[in-house]
Amino acid sequence: MRLLDTLTDSLVELPPPPEPIGIYVCGPTVYQRAHIGNARPFVVFMWLARWLRARGHDVRLVHNITDVNDKIYEAAPGRSAARAREATAWYLEDTEGFGLGMPDAQPLATETIPEIISMIEELLASGHAYTVDGDVYFRVARFAGYGALSGHRPDQVEEQEPSPAKEDPRDFALWKATKEGEDTSWETPWGVGRPGWHIECSAMAAKELGPEFWIHGGGVDLVFPHHENERAQSLSVGHPFARIWMHNGLLRFTGEKMSKSLGNVATIREVLDEWGAETALVFFLTAHWRKPIDFSEQTMAAAAAQWRRLSEVTVADEHPPSPSWDEFVACLEDDFNTPEALSILHRWHAAGVADLLERGLDVFGLPTPTRVHKAHVSFGMRFEDAVPGEMSRKVPAHVVELLEQRLEARRRRDYATSDELRARIQAEGFEVEDTPDGSRLVIRERE
Ligand SMILES: [Zn+2]
């Protein structure tokens, strides 16, 4: 399997199974209900983990939660820890709603403080960091590879976190001394404060996956400065860190006002309530994970229509030519191309290949489609001559008898008898649809 790596801008081959694959994905900062764009990395990397597991890899997916941050202090002055706990619970409940299961670990920054402090101590001891008035900064000039991930020339990196106390405008905070109004803090050898955002992820990734792992994921908006800084910190303490950097494209809100609580965006909860998990998953399948995806009433309605089609498959005994399972696998092995895989699902649907469609949908956590069996019996035609093989096993002889009596009644235009016979057939669990030249017996079954 090959995945596009941001650092080398090339496709990198994963090793064959059962090589363990560790995946670290940057999660949300928790201070309000997460919007649907936050769900994209969750869904993409849950799918990837499911797929790698199905290939036989031993996968460990880590999706962190940033629960100490400026945004949380601002959102809930004086009660930031309580707000972070509450918003973490919302996030877990909302993402669980996709029905994809949950990551193997969802570490909290606030539960990784000892590891964060010891990593900063290491960076201070090696001269990669320095303290100023209780703050600790990373010394960008000490890390030769700075800018490699984001494509910045090291001498042209813009200033981050402006502060006159820094040695170099490019330096970024590893630790921030407590300011007025900040109610969550920890003691350290250099003063009371809280961690910077970037060091949290370096520490959580090492704690959960060790110093080296296969895949680091997150939205493309995190490449700079967040991931550039994570990489600088981790490599500076001697960790080889991620072998592949995967950056998902962003979700763009292109429609009108969509949310009561967030204005022009919609929360995960609102999307799941309004459209359902299946439609939301089909929506995410429509775009390649590296590309942007447009969210609007129209794109969601289109996804809903796709799901309605896929969720019911007319079983056929003989299939017109359609893609093989190997072709479906090939799409996913080639940089996890879900739009291509989705088009194969539609071709299986059109060809009535229920078993492959079911297996393909399951890869993305979509439920088994309802199998629809149909037999079209024309006037004067025997039922046995009209039924596909799969269906003949499912229709008892006495129902066939009733159907044939009803056809005979319709031919005579004896509609009273015809209606009575329809009711008896329905009572046996079968549907009848009338057409100008006969009737169709329909069985819908969820297997
Ligand atoms: Zn991160």
Side-chain angles (χ1 to χ4, degrees):
M1 170 150 191
R2 309 180 306 162
L3 292 165
L4 193 98
D5 167 40
T6 308
L7 180 65
T8 56
D9 193 26
S10 65
L11 289 163
V12 174
E13 193 80 35
L14 283 180
E19 167 86 8
I21 305 282
I23 308 176
Y24 183 88
V25 182
C26 292
T29 296
V30 280
Y31 60 103
Q32 60 183 9
R33 282 270 178 191
H35 70 69
I36 186 67
N38 294 131
R40 193 174 192 197
F42 174 86
V43 169
V44 164
F45 289 98
M46 284 302 293
W47 278 340
L48 181 65
R50 283 168 80 96
W51 180 246
L52 292 174
R53 244 172 230 133
R55 289 176 93 239
H57 288 287
D58 175 11
V59 178
R60 180 164 169 79
L61 173 62
V62 180
H63 193 62
N64 84 285
I65 286 169
T66 298
D67 61 343
V68 53
N69 186 298
D70 289 332
K71 282 181 188 159
I72 310 171
Y73 292 134
E74 282 160 25
R79 52 180 296 277
S80 69
R83 168 58 68 91
R85 267 197 306 280
E86 186 178 35
T88 299
W90 292 336
Y91 179 74
L92 297 179
E93 180 189 308
D94 292 350
T95 49
E96 208 168 0
F98 287 101
L100 294 174
M102 293 305 264
D104 302 292
Q106 294 190 281
L108 304 177
T110 57
E111 288 179 356
T112 318
I113 300 296
E115 291 81 0
I116 292 169
I117 292 176
S118 80
M119 197 176 255
I120 294 173
E121 282 177 324
E122 239 180 286
L123 290 166
L124 283 166
S126 64
H128 287 93
Y130 57 94
T131 58
V132 182
D133 304 331
D135 291 341
V136 184
Y137 292 99
F138 184 87
R139 191 173 269 134
V140 168
R142 271 297 306 271
F143 179 65
Y146 198 79
L149 183 68
S150 56
H152 285 79
R153 277 180 45 184
D155 59 340
Q156 287 181 349
V157 172
E158 61 240 58
E159 168 146 33
Q160 319 173 33
E161 307 164 28
S163 157
K166 294 193 296 187
E167 287 177 3
D168 180 331
R170 299 174 300 173
D171 295 348
F172 57 87
L174 299 172
W175 191 267
K176 299 178 181 184
T178 298
K179 290 189 223 30
E180 173 130 17
E182 297 181 352
D183 59 327
T184 316
S185 61
W186 292 267
E187 301 263 1
T188 72
W190 51 85
V192 176
R194 43 100 182 194
W197 175 32
H198 320 301
I199 195 74
E200 295 170 4
C201 283
S202 284
M204 284 187 272
K207 182 180 181 183
E208 298 291 341
L209 296 172
E212 186 172 21
F213 51 93
W214 268 101
I215 298 168
H216 193 315
V220 69
D221 54 335
L222 300 184
V223 177
F224 187 87
H226 185 51
H227 289 168
E228 192 70 66
N229 293 350
E230 275 186 37
R231 185 171 176 270
Q233 296 158 166
S234 294
L235 268 61
S236 295
V237 296
H239 295 178
F241 214 45
R243 298 193 185 99
I244 297 176
W245 288 88
M246 285 175 72
H247 289 105
N248 64 270
L250 300 185
L251 182 143
R252 301 185 293 210
F253 291 97
T254 54
E256 298 301 303
K257 184 174 187 304
M258 301 200 189
S259 162
K260 289 173 197 79
S261 55
L262 301 181
N264 191 33
V265 300
T267 63
I268 299 172
R269 175 68 14 224
E270 287 166 330
V271 171
L272 292 176
D273 287 349
E274 184 177 350
W275 298 96
E278 292 87 359
T279 290
L281 292 174
V282 170
F283 165 71
F284 283 122
L285 281 179
T286 61
H288 192 286
W289 60 270
R290 280 191 275 113
K291 302 275 160 42
I293 187 167
D294 290 334
F295 181 95
S296 68
E297 192 76 25
Q298 287 83 346
T299 56
M300 289 307 289
Q306 289 203 48
W307 173 242
R308 269 198 305 279
R309 230 175 8 257
L310 290 171
S311 63
E312 216 175 59
V313 59
T314 302
V315 179
D317 268 7
E318 282 179 24
H319 308 303
S322 65
S324 65
W325 178 254
D326 286 348
E327 286 172 73
F328 180 79
V329 171
C331 294
L332 296 178
E333 304 280 276
D334 183 16
D335 202 20
F336 209 60
N337 192 333
T338 63
E340 284 290 329
L342 179 61
S343 80
I344 289 183
L345 294 177
H346 281 294
R347 287 163 70 192
W348 283 334
H349 171 264
V353 194
D355 50 347
L356 290 183
L357 178 61
E358 182 177 328
R359 200 170 153 198
L361 289 171
D362 185 56
V363 167
F364 304 113
L366 288 162
T368 301
T370 304
R371 288 167 178 250
V372 181
H373 306 263
K374 288 183 179 174
H376 188 265
V377 196
S378 306
F379 295 122
M381 184 187 199
R382 277 165 35 90
F383 179 78
E384 280 77 6
D385 295 332
V387 286
E390 269 214 59
M391 190 167 178
S392 63
R393 290 190 293 277
K394 298 174 193 297
V395 189
H398 67 278
V399 174
V400 173
E401 179 83 359
L402 292 173
L403 186 77
E404 281 171 350
Q405 286 174 23
R406 183 169 177 279
L407 268 175
E408 183 53 31
R410 281 193 67 219
R411 205 182 50 77
R412 292 193 314 264
R413 296 167 187 271
D414 175 0
Y415 295 115
T417 304
S418 160
D419 286 349
E420 184 208 323
L421 286 162
R422 175 204 286 274
R424 287 174 62 188
I425 295 168
Q426 278 174 338
E428 297 286 336
F430 298 91
E431 289 173 48
V432 188
E433 291 168 4
D434 289 326
T435 70
D437 68 334
S439 294
R440 193 176 284 139
L441 190 65
V442 181
I443 314 174
R444 288 194 161 77
E445 56 179 2
R446 199 65 173 259
E447 285 181 357

